[in-house]
Amino acid sequence: MSRAKEFHWTKDQKRALDVLSREQNCFLTGGAGTGKSTVVKEWLSQTYAEANDATPGIVVLASTGTAAILLGGRTFHSYFGLGIMEGGVDAVVARALKHRGIVTRIRKTKIILIDEISMIGGQEWEAAEQIARQARANPLPWGGIRMISVGDFAQLPPVTKPWCFLTEKWTTTEFSHLNLKTIVRSSDSEWNEVLNELRWGVISAHGGRTLRDRVLKVGGDFQGTRLFARRNQVERYNQERLNQLVGPVKQYPSVYLGVAKKVDEIKRQAPIPEILVLKEGATVMFRHNDPDHRWVNGTLGVVIQLNADEIEIELLSGKTVFVEPVTFSLLDAEGLVVASATNFPLNLAWACTIHKAQGATLDQVHVDLSGAWEHGQGYVALSRVRKLGDLTLESWSPSWVKIDPVVKRFYDYIEEEN
């Protein structure tokens, strides 16, 4: 039985579920914490239940390898055979259509769901649409496959632009735009108001004062996570904090299975390190969603006891949990497991990069935006918490929160359309 009847859905979420239950192409968007993932999970649950054990032909794709592993899906690039886009769109399309496996799986597909759509560039989008249309020998956009894209273009952008929404193939896909506006992650109305300002990079006098008031120095007893823009800042800080703890170091090597090439790939993309190095007293972050709902991706805790087959952790909520190893799988373009990584689903969490924090809800955050360079980076960092009291800042400048004006114009168009 679906939980839709017992869950309190917002007006926008109800509309989104209604439109998703129909046949049109949909773009589900909204700011951080508006419940995009919750809506998608509910729609998938309903769709599979209504299929009555038949295969509904849904393919779930993610824009990055790490997101795909966490999602249990495949990457957009591998599914369509895009590679590194060597030679440009025409060359990529020609190569993909010569691959029988790519053509066969696309012909079998009825619905494609893409998560974190903002990180897929325009060239990749155009190439994938041409591959789908030609593989299916169907002149309709995407060869008649129903497309559902999920994400927020006000967050982190693709490595290479243009944005996919600027392409002709985005226009011809004729998406129904489903824009979730109510922030459900937080019940803090003041913080939600500031978050909406941050998303559009226009900070009011009140919003600026609110954020300046959160510029607070935190000491070594801070139990939350420091967010930095750059990876070297994170690695240096985590190692410094680990070295400060007394007691022995415990190492937990990840166990990998698969052919060498795919193992190398999952080592780069899995949310766990090759060797998890811990001490009792270390602050850690969970990197997956527990099936028993004891924690979610982003939950923080402190290591109480290290054992060979389980780790005892006190969550910041005060609850104690016992954690066992988890297996993360890398799927090939056909959806088959080609490599796996098994270890405790934990990372040291005194510090984390803003990019790795996207999609996670963190319990307490201290943000240092001094190295920020990307549109959307400041907004992603500041929107990881449920309430304003969970956020502190190293310093504050409105210049660290900026949105690409092209993205703003796109969302203005969506607003006018609805």
Side-chain angles (χ1 to χ4, degrees), residues 289-308:
N289 296 317
D290 177 44
D292 295 326
H293 308 292
R294 293 170 295 172
W295 58 76
V296 297
N297 180 28
T299 294
L300 299 177
V302 176
V303 174
I304 302 300
Q305 187 171 3
L306 296 168
N307 301 306

Side-chain angles (χ1 to χ4, degrees), residues 110-417:
K110 298 177 182 177
I111 302 171
I112 291 178
L113 170 66
I114 306 170
D115 192 37
E116 298 289 4
I117 184 66
S118 71
M119 300 183 79
I120 294 176
Q123 278 200 324
E124 290 88 343
W125 184 259
E126 296 233 326
E129 194 280 336
Q130 290 185 48
I131 291 166
R133 183 161 32 86
Q134 294 182 43
R136 294 167 68 89
N138 185 328
L140 293 174
W142 298 90
I145 296 173
R146 184 186 179 196
M147 300 296 294
I148 299 173
S149 296
V150 183
D152 179 15
F153 290 110
Q155 297 190 39
L156 294 173
V159 175
T160 57
K161 293 182 181 178
W163 298 94
C164 62
F165 65 79
L166 293 175
T167 65
E168 177 190 0
K169 301 308 180 185
W170 181 276
T171 302
T172 58
T173 302
E174 296 185 341
F175 283 116
S176 292
H177 297 130
L178 306 174
N179 191 10
L180 305 183
K181 299 178 182 178
T182 303
I183 298 175
V184 294
R185 174 183 291 164
S186 172
S187 59
D188 184 337
S189 58
E190 180 185 19
W191 180 227
N192 289 345
E193 182 179 337
V194 175
L195 280 177
N196 282 324
E197 295 180 3
L198 290 168
R199 188 179 181 215
W200 303 123
V202 180
I203 312 299
S204 67
H206 172 72
R209 286 193 300 272
T210 299
L211 291 165
R212 283 194 296 274
D213 287 345
R214 301 310 300 167
V215 176
L216 300 168
K217 296 299 179 183
V218 296
D221 58 347
F222 176 64
Q223 290 187 304
T225 295
R226 293 174 184 254
L227 289 184
F228 292 104
R230 301 186 182 276
R231 188 173 62 182
N232 63 339
Q233 295 172 293
V234 169
E235 292 173 348
R236 182 170 60 249
Y237 188 80
N238 278 333
Q239 190 60 53
E240 288 174 356
R241 291 299 302 272
L242 188 67
N243 291 342
Q244 291 171 8
L245 291 178
V246 296
V249 169
K250 179 76 172 180
Q251 296 189 353
Y252 296 94
S254 293
V255 177
Y256 298 99
L257 295 175
V259 298
K261 182 179 180 180
K262 296 302 179 183
V263 166
D264 288 342
E265 189 173 339
I266 200 170
K267 284 180 179 180
R268 294 192 302 271
Q269 297 176 352
I272 51 177
E274 291 187 42
I275 300 177
L276 177 63
V277 181
L278 296 175
K279 288 183 180 181
E280 292 178 0
T283 296
V284 291
M285 179 191 299
F286 287 84
R287 294 314 317 269
H288 92 314
N289 296 317
D290 177 44
D292 295 326
H293 308 292
R294 293 170 295 172
W295 58 76
V296 297
N297 180 28
T299 294
L300 299 177
V302 176
V303 174
I304 302 300
Q305 187 171 3
L306 296 168
N307 301 306
D309 55 355
E310 69 176 14
I311 296 175
E312 181 181 356
I313 294 176
E314 182 180 345
L315 307 183
L316 293 196
S317 64
K319 180 180 179 181
T320 299
V321 296
F322 293 87
V323 187
E324 297 178 346
V326 168
T327 296
F328 296 89
S329 297
L330 176 69
L331 306 185
D332 67 7
E334 303 295 338
L336 302 175
V337 176
V338 292
S340 65
T342 301
N343 207 334
F344 294 95
L346 303 169
N347 285 164
L348 288 175
W350 286 292
C352 178
T353 63
I354 296 168
H355 277 73
K356 282 197 172 183
Q358 177 162 284
T361 300
L362 303 179
D363 298 313
Q364 292 181 19
V365 170
H366 184 75
V367 177
D368 183 346
L369 288 172
S370 58
W373 75 94
E374 194 82 84
H375 286 119
Q377 203 170 9
Y379 170 60
V380 168
L382 297 173
S383 61
R384 296 306 92 204
V385 294
R386 297 178 180 86
K387 59 183 185 294
L388 182 61
D390 295 334
L391 171 73
T392 54
L393 302 173
E394 185 70 16
S395 56
W396 166 247
S397 169
S399 65
W400 291 331
V401 181
K402 52 190 176 181
I403 183 173
D404 188 329
V406 173
V407 171
K408 182 61 168 64
R409 287 195 294 270
F410 173 69
Y411 276 97
D412 286 343
Y413 165 74
I414 290 178
E415 188 69 24
E416 291 173 4
E417 183 188 61

